[in-house]
Amino acid sequence: MRPEPHRLRVALPPEEQAARDRDALLTSAVRTVLGGTDAHGATLHLRSRDRRSLVLCAVAGVPLSVLGPFRRIAAAGPLPVAVGYRTGRTVLLADTEDTMRRFPQLALGLPYDFASAWVPVRAGAETYGVLGVLWPATGDGVPEGARRHLRAVADRLAAGLAGLEADGHPVEPNGETTVVELTPPSAPTTRVGLFDWDVLAGSVAADDQFCEIFGLAPGDFDGRADTLSARIAPGDLPEFRAAVRGALDGDRVLAARLRVLDRDGHPYPVELWARVPHDGQEQWGRLVGAVLDTRTGTAAAAAVERLRDGVFSLDPDGRITYANHSVELLLQARREDLVGHHPWQVLSWLSDPVYENRYRAALLSQQPTAFLALRPPDSWLAFSLYPDAHGVTGRVVAAEPPPDAAAPPAEPAPPGAWAGLGAMYHLLQLASALSEAVTAREVCRAVADEILPALGGQELAIYAVRDKRLHLVAQSGYPDGFLDRFEGIPVDTRVPGAETLSSGTPIFFESVDELAAAYPDLTLDDMGAWAFLPLIASGHPVGSCILGFDRPRVFTLEERGLLTALAGFIAQALERARLYDAEFTLARGLQQALLPHRLPHLEEVRIAARYLPGTQGMEIGGDWYDAVVTGRDLCLVIGDVEGHSVGAAATMGQLRSAVRAFATGGHSPDEVLARTNQLLLDLDPGLLASCCLVRLTPGEGTALVARAGHVPPVLRYPDGRAEALEVPGGPLLGVDRAAAYPVSPLVLEPGSVLALYTDGLVEDPAAAIDEGVERLCAALTGPDAGWTATEGPEGLADRVLDELGSTHRVDDIALMLTAYR
C-alpha cells in the first residue's frame, strides 16, 4: 500500500475547541449510560444562558421528532426534568401509572408505558442540566443496579462541564440537538478491503481484508495482478477488464459487480469501486479503491425478498429504510416512493394519527404492537411492529375485516384536516399550562414556552385592551425599544396587530413583501413572516398576539387552524388573569394583615419566624404561625388551611384568632384544638386545616405537644443532632366533631431548638414527604445552631429556607424556630 500523505493538524479556535469538548462530554455520557444499563433511550438537557429554560442537547434511542415538544422546557415547569433541575434530586418514575399520578404533563406528551429516571447533572452548588434515561416498563420500575451507575455518569459529566466553565468557556446549549447513534447490535456483515492497482505494471498493493476476500492468505499474496485475476470467476473476467479500460480512458469511477472464488473454489459476489487518483502527478494506468464482500447482507435480503409476507424496517425517526417486494404488492406503492419517508406521510390511508401513535408506542415502550388498517377501497391489512433501540422491524399481511368495521369513507380526508401528533400535543400542553396559569405573566410565559418552540418562531408579543387602547403585556425576542411606538395605540389604528382584533380574523403574512404591500408605512424589523392573532373571549376583545419568524414560511392549513385554536385558549386565560388581579390585591392585603407583626421577647426564649408565599398560582394561602404568652407559659402555634384563595386566607384569620382566644383562656393544648375543630365545623367554609400547638413552660424546660393532622415538629438537641418528634396526633380540623387530640410531654434541654413548619417546606412532587422531613433535620443538624450560635435562630431560619425553600414553590411555607436557653 502507498503511505498516506502526512496531514497537518490544524489548531482550532479556543471557542470552537471548547464547543467540541462539550459535545464530546455529552455524547460520551449518553453512550456510557446506555452501555452500562438495560435502558433503551437517553436524553440530556442543559440549562439555557438565562437559566429559565432547559434545552435538549443530546438524545439517543428516542426519535427526535417525538421529543419535539420537550426540546425546550421551562425550568419553573412541572415536568420531571425541571423538578430534578430545581431540587438537585433524582426523580424515578416506575411506569405509566406513576408518571400520570406525579407528572401528568409528561404523560400527556408521551402517553406510553416506560420507566424513567431523571438525574441532575450537578457539581457542587451548580446544576448544569438533567440526564433522562428510559427503560421498558417491567413492573419493577427503574432497575436497582442502574441508579448508582447513572449517578456516577452524571457526576463525571458535571465535573467535565465544571472544568470547561472554570477555563472560561460557556457550557450552555448552542441551539442544536445531537442525535447519538447507537452501536449496532451485531458486527457489520460487510467486509471491506482496500487496494492500489498499477494497471500498467501489473502490480497490486492490498491490505489483509482484500486478500481474504479474494481467498488468499495475506502472507501468500505475491502482489501480482495476474494472481488476483485467477481468483475471479472466468465468466466475469471479460466484462470486468472492459470496465477497467473504460474507467481509465474516461477518467471516471469504476463500479463493477463480479464473482470471486473462495478458498474452496466456490464463487460469491463482491462489489469493486475504484478511481484514478489525482494528486498532481501523472497517474494514468493506476486505480485506487475498495472491494466489498456483501455476501451475508445480500443473502439475507434475498431470503426476505422471497417471503410472501411484507417485511419492512423503520429507523428510530419512523422513516422506512427497507421494504421487500411483498410490501410493494400489499401497500400498492413502489419501494422508491416508500424508502426514506414516513409511511403515514406517503400513504394517505395511514395518515390517521392513531397509526403514528402505534409506532411511537412500540419505540417508547419497547414492546411489540399490532393494528389493522383499511387500504382503500376494501382491503384490510394487519401490521405488526417489533422494536429495539435501533428502530422497528415491521410485518404486514392481508387480514379479514374486523367484526365492527365501519364502511370506508367515500373520499380520503383532505390534507390538513387533522393535526399531527406534535401539533396536537402543543395544543393540549398549552391548554394544560394555561389552565394552571393565573397571572398575566404566567399566561405569557406559557405561550412563549409552548408556541415558539412548536412553530420555530423567534418573536412574540401579547397586547391587552384597556380603555380601547392596546398595551403591551409581554414580549420575547424583539429588539430593544422596537415596540415602544405601538404602546397605547387605539384599537382602530391601521396596523395589523389592531386590525386583527377589530375584524376578529387572524392575519398571516408569509413574506416581507406581503406585509409591506398591505401596510407600506409600517416599520418592520428583521423577521420574514408574521402571524397576527385576535384574542377574543366570551365575544369581546381581550387583546392580540403577534408571532414573528426569521424566515419566509408557508402557513399550512394545519398551522393556521392550530394557531386560531391557541388564540382562543390565550384569550380565555388572559381574561381569567384580569379577574384574578383584583382578587389577588384584596387577598394578599388580607393575608399580610392577619399574620403577626411582632413576636414576644422572653428571657429564656428567642423566636424567629418566616413566611414565604407560593410562587405559582394565587401566591396566597392559609399558612399561619403565632406565639402567645399565657401567664408563665408560651403557646407556640403553626397551622395550614387548605387551598390558595381569599377564602383560605379568611379562614386562616378566623382560626388564628380562635386558637389565640382559647389558649389565652387557659385551656390545655388538646382542648384548644378540640374547640377550634368545632368552631371550624360551625363556620362550615368547606375547607380543612392542620395545626400543631406546643405549650412551653420556659422556667421548667417542659412542654406539651398536640397535633391535628400536621407534620411533626423537629427538635434539634444541644449536641447538634436533630430528629422529627413523631408524637401521636388527631385528624385534621373540620373533619370530625368528636375528634380527640392527644397530648405528649416534651423536655427541652438548654441549647435546644424546636422547629414548627408547614408542609410546603418539606413537600416535593419528586419525593415522599418523609424525605423532606429528613432534609429539614439535616439542615438543622450542626454544632452552631442554638442560643449561643453566631447566626442565632434568625440566621438559622434563613439558612434553612435557602437550603429547602425552592424558588419555584407550589405551596406556601411557614417556619417558626424557638431556641431555648
Side-chain angles (χ1 to χ4, degrees):
M1 294 288 290
R2 293 177 183 264
E4 284 289 320
H6 179 66
R7 299 184 183 276
L8 293 176
R9 190 177 177 88
V10 180
L12 296 173
E15 297 79 7
E16 185 175 346
Q17 184 61 51
R20 292 193 179 187
D21 292 343
R22 188 207 62 173
D23 292 344
L25 287 172
L26 305 185
T27 301
S28 175
V30 170
R31 289 188 186 277
T32 304
V33 161
L34 296 185
T37 66
D38 294 326
H40 67 268
T43 63
L44 191 50
H45 286 79
L46 292 183
R47 69 191 185 197
S48 62
R49 190 174 299 277
D50 60 8
R51 306 198 180 192
R52 294 174 53 190
S53 303
L54 297 166
V55 182
L56 181 64
C57 293
V59 60
V62 183
L64 189 57
S65 59
V66 173
L67 296 176
F70 301 101
R71 295 181 74 167
R72 181 175 290 273
I73 295 173
L79 293 170
V81 180
V83 172
Y85 173 75
R86 296 197 304 269
T87 64
R89 295 189 296 277
T90 299
V91 180
L92 303 176
L93 300 175
D95 50 29
T96 304
E97 182 178 349
D98 193 19
T99 303
M100 178 63 76
R101 176 174 55 85
R102 296 168 58 190
F103 296 97
Q105 291 84 354
L106 177 63
L108 174 68
L110 296 175
Y112 311 113
D113 199 15
F114 58 85
S116 62
W118 309 89
V119 188
V121 179
R122 189 173 189 179
E126 287 291 334
T127 303
Y128 295 99
V130 174
L131 176 64
V133 189
L134 280 62
W135 290 266
T138 61
D140 298 328
V142 175
E144 189 70 30
R147 301 179 187 180
R148 181 178 298 177
H149 180 70
L150 296 179
R151 184 68 267 160
V153 173
D155 288 345
R156 285 198 299 270
L157 173 59
L161 295 175
L164 287 176
E165 193 172 50
D167 292 337
H169 302 299
V171 298
E172 287 78 10
N174 56 12
E176 298 180 357
T177 302
T178 300
V179 179
V180 181
E181 296 294 334
L182 301 180
T183 304
S186 59
T189 58
T190 300
R191 293 189 299 169
V192 180
L194 305 178
F195 67 90
D196 188 335
W197 180 10
D198 190 333
V199 180
L200 295 180
S203 61
V204 178
D207 64 5
D208 292 349
Q209 281 276 43
F210 183 95
C211 296
E212 291 177 0
I213 292 172
F214 271 77
L216 298 169
D220 296 340
F221 179 46
D222 57 10
R224 296 174 57 245
D226 290 343
T227 303
L228 296 178
S229 297
R231 308 301 306 168
I232 299 176
D236 293 351
L237 267 174
E239 187 175 349
F240 174 63
R241 287 169 175 161
V244 171
R245 286 194 299 271
L248 292 173
D249 293 339
D251 193 13
R252 61 177 182 266
V253 173
L254 167 64
R257 292 179 61 89
L258 63 153
R259 292 170 301 159
V260 300
L261 306 177
D262 61 18
R263 295 187 181 183
D264 296 325
H266 300 136
Y268 62 88
V270 299
E271 295 181 8
L272 190 143
W273 297 79
R275 65 175 179 83
V276 176
H278 296 279
D279 55 8
Q281 299 178 9
E282 180 58 46
Q283 298 292 320
W284 191 96
R286 179 169 159 238
L287 291 170
V288 294
V291 62
L292 285 70
D293 174 8
T294 59
R295 276 179 296 178
T296 305
T298 302
V304 175
E305 287 295 327
R306 288 190 287 268
L307 293 176
R308 297 293 180 90
D309 295 352
V311 177
F312 59 92
S313 176
L314 304 175
D315 67 14
D317 201 42
R319 293 181 175 84
I320 299 174
T321 56
Y322 170 79
N324 70 351
H325 181 61
S326 295
V327 167
E328 292 184 297
L329 298 177
L330 289 165
L331 302 187
Q332 294 188 349
R334 299 184 307 166
R335 264 185 278 201
E336 50 265 37
D337 295 331
L338 294 172
V339 173
H341 301 282
H342 297 100
W344 47 85
Q345 292 178 340
V346 177
L347 305 169
S348 61
W349 49 277
L350 284 179
S351 62
D352 191 308
V354 70
Y355 302 127
E356 181 184 355
N357 191 57
R358 292 285 189 171
Y359 148 75
R360 293 187 175 195
L363 203 60
L364 268 295
S365 67
Q366 290 291 292
Q367 298 295 326
T369 187
F371 60 90
L372 290 174
L374 174 63
R375 190 200 72 205
D378 55 5
S379 298
W380 286 89
L381 300 175
F383 290 82
S384 301
L385 303 179
Y386 303 93
D388 71 4
H390 304 272
V392 174
T393 295
R395 174 175 173 266
V396 56
V397 296
E400 295 294 325
D404 56 348
E411 296 180 358
W418 61 273
L421 285 177
M424 288 194 298
Y425 167 81
H426 281 289
L427 182 64
L428 294 173
Q429 185 75 353
L430 180 61
S432 174
L434 291 179
S435 68
E436 300 175 1
V438 294
T439 67
R441 181 186 305 170
E442 291 174 352
V443 170
C444 297
R445 184 171 62 237
V447 174
D449 290 343
E450 292 300 330
I451 288 188
L452 290 182
L455 297 177
Q458 283 70 43
E459 290 182 348
L460 168 72
I462 296 180
Y463 284 87
V465 176
R466 292 198 306 270
D467 300 326
K468 297 184 178 181
R469 292 180 177 272
L470 289 176
H471 298 275
L472 183 66
V473 177
Q475 67 89 16
S476 175
Y478 280 92
D480 291 341
F482 179 82
L483 296 176
D484 293 348
R485 71 202 74 185
F486 303 106
E487 178 61 24
I489 62 172
V491 294
D492 58 357
T493 305
R494 192 177 184 280
V495 295
E499 289 197 339
T500 187
L501 186 59
S502 59
S503 66
T505 304
I507 303 174
F508 299 94
F509 295 102
E510 299 181 340
S511 67
V512 175
D513 293 340
E514 285 189 13
L515 180 58
Y519 298 90
D521 298 328
L522 187 65
T523 302
L524 304 180
D525 56 6
D526 294 331
M527 293 295 102
W530 295 264
F532 297 87
L533 308 174
L535 304 180
I536 299 175
S538 303
H540 71 273
V542 174
S544 60
C545 177
I546 305 170
L547 292 170
F549 304 86
D550 60 356
R551 298 179 181 178
R553 66 179 293 154
V554 175
F555 292 97
T556 64
L557 182 62
E558 172 186 327
E559 289 178 342
R560 292 178 184 235
L562 175 65
L563 287 171
T564 302
L566 292 177
F569 286 135
I570 298 168
Q572 293 288 344
L574 280 179
E575 182 69 3
R576 210 169 49 244
R578 181 181 297 177
L579 297 175
Y580 157 82
D581 286 339
E583 183 180 6
F584 170 75
T585 301
L586 172 64
R588 191 61 180 273
L590 173 64
Q591 184 183 43
Q592 293 297 326
L594 292 175
L595 289 174
H597 296 284
R598 239 180 0 209
L599 294 170
H601 293 274
L602 300 178
E603 183 179 352
E604 302 92 348
V605 175
R606 289 173 63 183
I607 305 173
R610 298 289 186 272
Y611 173 80
L612 296 179
T615 59
Q616 299 180 21
M618 284 289 291
E619 298 189 8
I620 61 166
D623 289 17
W624 91 91
Y625 59 85
D626 206 352
V628 185
V629 176
T630 57
R632 66 191 190 99
D633 294 338
L634 174 65
C635 192
L636 304 170
V637 187
I638 199 159
D640 183 2
V641 178
E642 67 173 341
H644 298 80
S645 64
V646 175
T651 301
M652 176 267 283
Q654 292 172 310
L655 293 185
R656 175 176 175 254
S657 299
V659 171
R660 174 177 276 268
F662 294 141
T664 305
H667 296 287
S668 63
D670 56 328
E671 291 176 335
V672 172
L673 293 183
R675 289 174 178 267
T676 304
N677 174 53
Q678 294 168 2
L679 174 65
L680 182 58
L681 287 166
D682 292 339
L683 293 173
D684 192 22
L687 299 172
L688 304 178
S690 67
C691 185
C692 182
L693 187 149
V694 178
R695 182 181 289 275
L696 171 64
T697 305
E700 300 176 359
T702 61
L704 298 174
V705 183
R707 288 197 299 149
H710 202 80
V711 286
V714 171
L715 179 62
R716 182 205 175 277
Y717 297 98
D719 61 3
R721 295 179 298 112
E723 67 174 352
L725 303 177
E726 297 293 349
V727 296
L732 292 167
L733 303 176
V735 174
D736 180 8
R737 186 175 293 274
Y741 299 94
V743 175
S744 301
L746 176 65
V747 177
L748 296 180
E749 301 176 23
S752 300
V753 178
L754 182 66
L756 303 181
Y757 56 95
T758 56
D759 55 9
L761 183 65
V762 293
E763 272 188 338
D764 191 290
I769 194 169
D770 291 344
E771 296 181 26
V773 176
E774 291 175 1
R775 291 194 300 273
L776 174 58
C777 292
L780 290 170
T781 298
D784 193 29
W787 179 277
T788 59
T790 55
E791 61 182 355
E794 293 286 342
L796 179 59
D798 291 335
R799 181 158 59 83
V800 168
L801 291 183
D802 286 341
E803 294 187 20
L804 301 183
S806 168
T807 56
H808 306 285
R809 298 176 299 279
V810 176
D811 201 359
D812 306 31
I813 291 176
L815 171 67
M816 186 162 62
L817 300 181
T818 302
Y820 175 66
R821 177 157 65 181

